[in-house]
Amino acid sequence: MDKKQQLLNRLSDVRSDGQVIIDSERGDVTGDGFMDTVYLTGTKTEGSPFWQNITLNILDGKTNIYERISLKENAGYHPTIFLGDFTGNHVDDILVVIDTGGSGGTIYAYVFASLEGQMRQIFDADEFNERSKYEVNYQKNYKVTVISSDPKKKYTLDLMYKGEEYLSEIYNEDGTLKAPIEGWVDPISGLFPIDYARDGTYELVTFQRIAGRYHADALGYVHNILKWNGNEFVTDRQNVSIFGEDLD
């Protein structure tokens, strides 16, 4: 108990090194049947919601051993923790999400899991963004195609809802393009845990904005539902959502 109190004192609201507790959750993340305490700590910028030196901390509920895990990207806004089972082994895993503050509302996100007795990182949003490639091209007759490389799928978006002013800047009267236009798909801007099967195992749902001529010209979102296959998260299914037209 003395050792546990020492560790709790170390993680007191105001630490000697200037770090404070940003968020905390309790759950069994080691799989030993004891409740562990998981913290995010960081240094807050004075007069700003920006956090630096964000660090993941785990206090083992059985051994009282304190583990500190550095994050690859450790600065940003609104850092949060979610505990839930993503791997299907009935042990809580750790999801950390941090807003980058950049255009498009992109995020840093990591999942950590206790596998074979060691806490390992099993998901990195940046690595997902690197392997998720898309092509966005305006087509004749007021259409845009979005082609995904993994999984290999093609989506066709109808631009008619954008209105005459928007379309007249891009298309001739006969529906042909005035000039070729390429859009793009942003990195992940949202990552949400959802238990679709209600079996206690969570999937990860990603949101990526589809941009047209410029960043604010949003055309919709690509959603990937990611499931753990025993070695990594893979896309179980993918879809695209579009914006609706306002009615009078």
Side-chain angles (χ1 to χ4, degrees):
M1 291 299 296
D2 289 343
K3 180 64 174 175
K4 184 173 183 179
Q5 188 59 49
Q6 291 174 19
L7 294 170
L8 290 174
N9 289 340
R10 183 178 181 184
L11 288 168
S12 60
D13 284 347
V14 180
R15 294 178 51 183
S16 59
D17 59 3
Q19 286 202 330
V20 298
I21 295 175
I22 307 168
D23 194 15
S24 65
E25 296 289 344
R26 285 177 56 79
D28 180 14
V29 299
T30 57
D32 58 10
F34 289 80
M35 294 292 284
D36 310 302
T37 306
V38 183
Y39 297 85
L40 281 181
T41 57
T43 306
K44 191 171 184 180
T45 305
E46 186 175 354
S48 168
F50 184 70
W51 291 92
Q52 301 182 70
N53 305 315
I54 302 168
T55 306
L56 177 63
N57 308 271
I58 302 169
L59 177 60
D60 191 305
K62 180 180 180 181
T63 66
N64 292 329
I65 293 176
Y66 170 80
E67 183 176 4
R68 187 173 177 136
I69 301 174
S70 298
L71 304 177
K72 186 179 73 174
E73 299 291 346
N74 64 355
Y77 299 85
H78 192 221
T80 57
I81 297 172
F82 173 86
L83 301 185
D85 179 15
F86 293 100
T87 60
N89 63 355
H90 308 293
V91 177
D92 282 341
D93 305 313
I94 306 168
L95 169 63
V96 178
V97 178
I98 305 168
D99 296 337
T100 68
S103 60
T106 56
I107 61 171
Y108 305 125
Y110 308 97
V111 176
F112 296 88
S114 179
L115 300 175
E116 299 178 353
Q118 289 189 334
M119 192 61 65
R120 290 173 43 200
Q121 179 182 297
I122 61 173
F123 179 82
D124 179 346
D126 285 346
E127 293 178 1
F128 173 85
N129 292 330
E130 284 296 320
R131 69 173 185 265
S132 300
K133 303 300 181 183
Y134 303 92
E135 295 180 11
V136 179
N137 290 287
Y138 282 66
Q139 308 290 347
K140 64 181 181 179
N141 297 325
Y142 318 110
K143 300 292 193 298
V144 170
T145 56
V146 180
I147 298 177
S148 165
S149 63
D150 183 20
K152 294 183 177 180
K153 287 185 176 293
K154 176 182 176 181
Y155 305 91
T156 302
L157 312 183
D158 191 329
L159 298 178
M160 288 297 292
Y161 76 96
K162 285 283 194 178
E164 184 178 348
E165 182 178 354
Y166 178 93
L167 297 175
S168 64
E169 295 175 356
I170 302 172
Y171 290 96
N172 299 308
E173 291 185 1
D174 63 355
T176 57
L177 284 164
K178 292 180 178 180
I181 300 176
E182 291 186 16
W184 69 92
V185 175
D186 277 345
I188 294 176
S189 59
L191 185 71
F192 304 98
I194 299 180
D195 180 5
Y196 281 102
R198 303 191 307 279
D199 60 358
T201 301
Y202 287 88
E203 289 79 35
L204 286 171
V205 183
T206 69
F207 279 61
Q208 294 174 271
R209 181 188 292 193
I210 306 167
R213 295 175 298 167
Y214 44 85
H215 199 271
D217 183 16
L219 304 179
Y221 285 89
V222 178
H223 306 286
N224 287 281
I225 293 88
L226 308 179
K227 295 185 70 170
W228 180 255
N229 69 356
N231 296 299
E232 61 181 348
F233 283 97
V234 296
T235 299
D236 181 62
R237 56 193 184 276
Q238 182 188 79
N239 56 66
V240 166
S241 64
I242 61 173
F243 301 108
E245 179 180 359
D246 293 331
L247 301 177
D248 294 336

